[in-house]
Amino acid sequence: MFMNQQMSGPEWNQLTPVQKRELRLSRFINPVDIQFHNAEARQAYQIRAQRLADVYNLQEPDRVPLTLHLGTLPLQYYGLSYHTAMKDYPQAIEAYNRFNQAFAAGLESFATIAVLIPGQAFELLDYKMYAWPGHGLPENSGGYQFREQEYMKAGEYDDLIQNPADFWLRFYLPRIFGAMQCLQNTSPITDLIEIPTAQLMPLATQPVQDMLKILLRAGEDLAERNAIHKNLFTQGPASGFPPLVDFLCIAPFDIIGDTLRGTQGIMTDMYRRPDKLMEAMEILTRIQIKSTLNKAAGGRGLVVTFPLHKGADGWMSQSQFETFYWPFLKKTIDALVNEGLIVTLFAEGGYDTRLESVNEFPAGAIHWWFDKTDMARAKRILGNKCSIAGNVPSSLLMKGTPAQVKDYCRNLIAVCGKNGGYALAEGAADVEARIENLQAMAEAVREFGVYRR
């Protein structure tokens, strides 16, 4: 996001994966395209970036870094409802700015509005996949919820496999956006050959014209949102806080299991149509690799983050994990690692039953962010090749005392910080954490996380 300087294709392609990674890390620590507020901000940025780079490299930094994911905490802290914030962008930005001015330095983390959905645009488009305050949820709700359904039917695997773009346009989009329902009656876009008179006829129909008008209005709302938010996104690095994520990816199994077939659908598919499921995941793997590498071409960016959902303990057997989940995720990760990218795997839930089977990458290529996994065991099994973070429970940050939080963090640092390669982090985003408990985490790294040399 903030490292746009890039090398030419032939020059970049001559580098080895290790050389590409080293260059990405060097640009991360010493960026040329960030306009720092002052010399102190530049120095703070480089210190924090170097700590993260040392963790990724399985080394001991000057001390354990703190990586917080603050989510909508600034809204709650200043009493701004999610319902208001997702529509009144200036008010939301004001809350985040106030929060950062008050707490960013002490927490060593800069809050952004990445988790704030564009409410007006989503309402215009009649987005079906989420419920949010005032749209499927009470107005006083604190965020959005995912609505799981079979947005792809069991008999449509061949449609996805044979022509993914057409499937997305004529099957998927009409189901997840009410405003785009008319697209299901159009002909395949691949029918557009030489004289497309018949294929353009839908443009003359009222439903399509209404859809285009709605898309323009949604686009205007998004343009306003982006213009207002752009400044906040750049303020973090400019103030001395390195970005923790450059690109987001989804495991191929989760693409189908979350937003296409749903949990019940994909679990059934593993038994009734396993070959079609794996063929579809192979297609989605190739698409996602190409899309991500296009964004990261020539050395842009450093960290790709995968939120892992249905591979967690209890979702499937180890045999199913090694058949359906891991091979396609690993193939995606391998392609990214070969381009010098560092992959963060956010293991939501527990991953205790998976640890022995996932340590298959070069040293320093993978950073695990754990939610509820046994951290001592994760350090023992993965620590020789992977850096790790996480595991401070949301329940503790919400209901515990600062002393309890600090003691929990002290134990984590003692176990996981040994020989480096560890960043202190919560197990999930700090949506309802008490600010004094986050401050206790910051105190813990400063007091217990210093490496004695």
Side-chain angles (χ1 to χ4, degrees), residues 388-423:
I388 62 175
N391 190 251
V392 180
S394 298
S395 57
L396 180 63
L397 294 174
M398 292 168 59
K399 300 297 184 181
T401 66
Q404 290 171 327
V405 171
K406 193 172 181 180
D407 187 60
Y408 191 97
C409 293
R410 179 182 60 80
N411 291 329
L412 267 180
I413 292 170
V415 171
C416 302
K418 187 177 181 180
N419 300 320
Y422 175 68

Side-chain angles (χ1 to χ4, degrees), residues 64 67 345-347 349-352 355 367-383 386-393 408-409 411-418 421-427:
V64 171
T67 57
L345 298 175
F346 178 26
Y351 250 68
D352 293 310
L355 295 178
H367 179 68
W368 283 94
W369 173 18
F370 289 113
D371 180 8
K372 298 179 180 179
T373 300
D374 182 333
M375 294 298 280
R377 189 162 173 268
K379 179 71 173 182
R380 184 173 66 254
I381 295 173
L382 302 177
C386 305
S387 56
I388 62 175
N391 190 251
V392 180
Y408 191 97
C409 293
N411 291 329
L412 267 180
I413 292 170
V415 171
C416 302
K418 187 177 181 180
Y422 175 68
L424 183 66
E426 68 285 74

Side-chain angles (χ1 to χ4, degrees), residues 281-294:
M281 286 194 290
E282 185 65 41
I283 296 292
L284 294 173
T285 297
R286 293 201 298 265
I287 291 173
Q288 184 153 235
I289 288 172
K290 183 176 181 179
S291 173
T292 306
L293 293 186
N294 282 340

Side-chain angles (χ1 to χ4, degrees), residues 1 84 107 138 152 196 246 273-274 378 380 416:
M1 181 176 177
T84 298
L107 298 179
M152 182 179 86
D246 290 297
R273 49 192 69 85
R380 184 173 66 254
C416 302

Side-chain angles (χ1 to χ4, degrees), residues 24 35 39 42-43 71 75 160 173 184 200 234 294 313 323 379 393 440 448:
R24 289 183 189 272
Q35 299 297 316
R42 177 186 293 275
Q43 183 181 28
L75 303 180
L160 171 63
L173 291 182
Q184 65 186 347
L200 291 176
T234 59
N294 282 340
D313 296 338
T323 301
K379 179 71 173 182
F448 308 120

Side-chain angles (χ1 to χ4, degrees), residues 3 12 15-28 56-57 246-247 293 296-304 332-343 362-366:
M3 293 178 287
W12 175 260
L15 301 177
T16 66
V18 172
Q19 289 172 328
K20 291 176 180 179
R21 182 172 175 275
E22 290 174 348
L23 184 55
R24 289 183 189 272
L25 281 168
S26 177
R27 292 175 177 175
F28 176 67
Y56 296 145
N57 284 327
D246 290 297
F247 312 111
L293 293 186
R300 292 191 297 266
L302 174 66
V303 179
V304 181
T332 307
I333 295 172
D334 283 339
L336 305 183
V337 169
N338 284 339
E339 282 298 303
L341 290 158
I342 292 172
V343 173
I366 305 299

Side-chain angles (χ1 to χ4, degrees), residues 78-270:
Y78 290 108
L80 186 65
S81 73
Y82 195 94
H83 179 260
T84 298
M86 68 183 187
K87 292 187 176 182
D88 191 331
Y89 304 137
Q91 277 202 67
I93 292 297
E94 180 183 1
Y96 277 85
N97 282 334
R98 289 176 63 192
F99 186 92
N100 286 325
Q101 290 169 8
F103 301 111
L107 298 179
E108 302 188 17
S109 300
F110 197 88
T112 69
I113 44 73
V115 296
L116 191 63
I117 67 170
Q120 184 69 22
F122 276 16
E123 287 183 4
L124 286 168
L125 295 171
D126 189 17
Y127 188 45
K128 307 291 189 182
M129 200 172 284
Y130 287 173
W132 59 87
H135 191 100
L137 292 177
E139 288 192 4
N140 61 354
S141 298
Y144 57 85
Q145 293 181 359
F146 179 67
R147 287 172 165 168
E148 185 174 284
Q149 295 184 34
E150 289 190 10
Y151 296 102
M152 182 179 86
K153 307 303 180 184
E156 293 172 350
Y157 270 100
D158 282 338
D159 295 301
L160 171 63
I161 292 165
Q162 294 168 11
N163 195 334
D166 182 64
F167 174 82
W168 241 254
L169 183 66
R170 296 194 305 119
F171 292 79
Y172 187 57
L173 291 182
R175 290 172 184 162
I176 66 171
F177 293 111
M180 299 185 184
Q181 195 169 9
C182 61
L183 292 176
Q184 65 186 347
N185 299 319
T186 60
S187 59
I189 195 169
T190 46
D191 286 354
L192 289 170
I193 299 174
E194 193 170 350
I195 303 177
T197 304
Q199 290 75 29
L200 291 176
M201 282 301 106
L203 294 175
T205 64
Q206 193 62 49
V208 172
Q209 291 181 7
D210 291 342
M211 178 195 72
L212 294 175
K213 291 174 183 177
I214 291 174
L215 291 177
L216 284 173
R217 290 169 59 197
E220 291 169 356
D221 179 70
L222 291 171
E224 177 188 353
R225 178 182 189 270
N226 292 343
I228 294 173
H229 291 177
K230 181 179 179 181
N231 184 55
L232 180 62
F233 278 118
T234 59
Q235 286 305 304
S239 301
F241 301 90
L244 299 178
V245 180
D246 290 297
F247 312 111
L248 186 69
C249 280
I250 306 295
F253 188 95
D254 290 336
I255 294 175
I256 296 179
D258 289 356
T259 59
L260 290 177
R261 294 286 290 128
T263 302
Q264 182 174 333
I266 198 168
M267 292 300 177
T268 302
D269 294 342
M270 286 195 294

